[in-house]
């Protein structure tokens, strides 16, 4: 997977104004709270869904 996962909002403050950052790799800068974070795809669960 070469494309960057795109978040729609900051997981810390909820702001939607996010900018890509060079370092660390595939990081995002929230312009609202100034935090830099990354999004990592872990995998797809194929197990049974509990109701």
């Amino acid at each position: 997977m070469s494309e960057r996962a795109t978040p729609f909002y900051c997981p810390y403050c909820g702001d939607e104004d996010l900018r890509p950052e060079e370092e660390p790799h595939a990081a995002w800068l929230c312009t609202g709270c100034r935090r830099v974070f990354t999004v990592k795809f872990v995998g797809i669960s194929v197990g049974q869904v509990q109701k």
Side-chain angles (χ1 to χ4, degrees), residues 26-43:
W28 292 90
L29 166 67
C30 173
T31 59
C33 67
R34 305 298 299 167
R35 287 184 169 105
V36 176
F37 62 93
T38 60
V39 177
K40 180 180 177 182
F41 177 75
V42 177

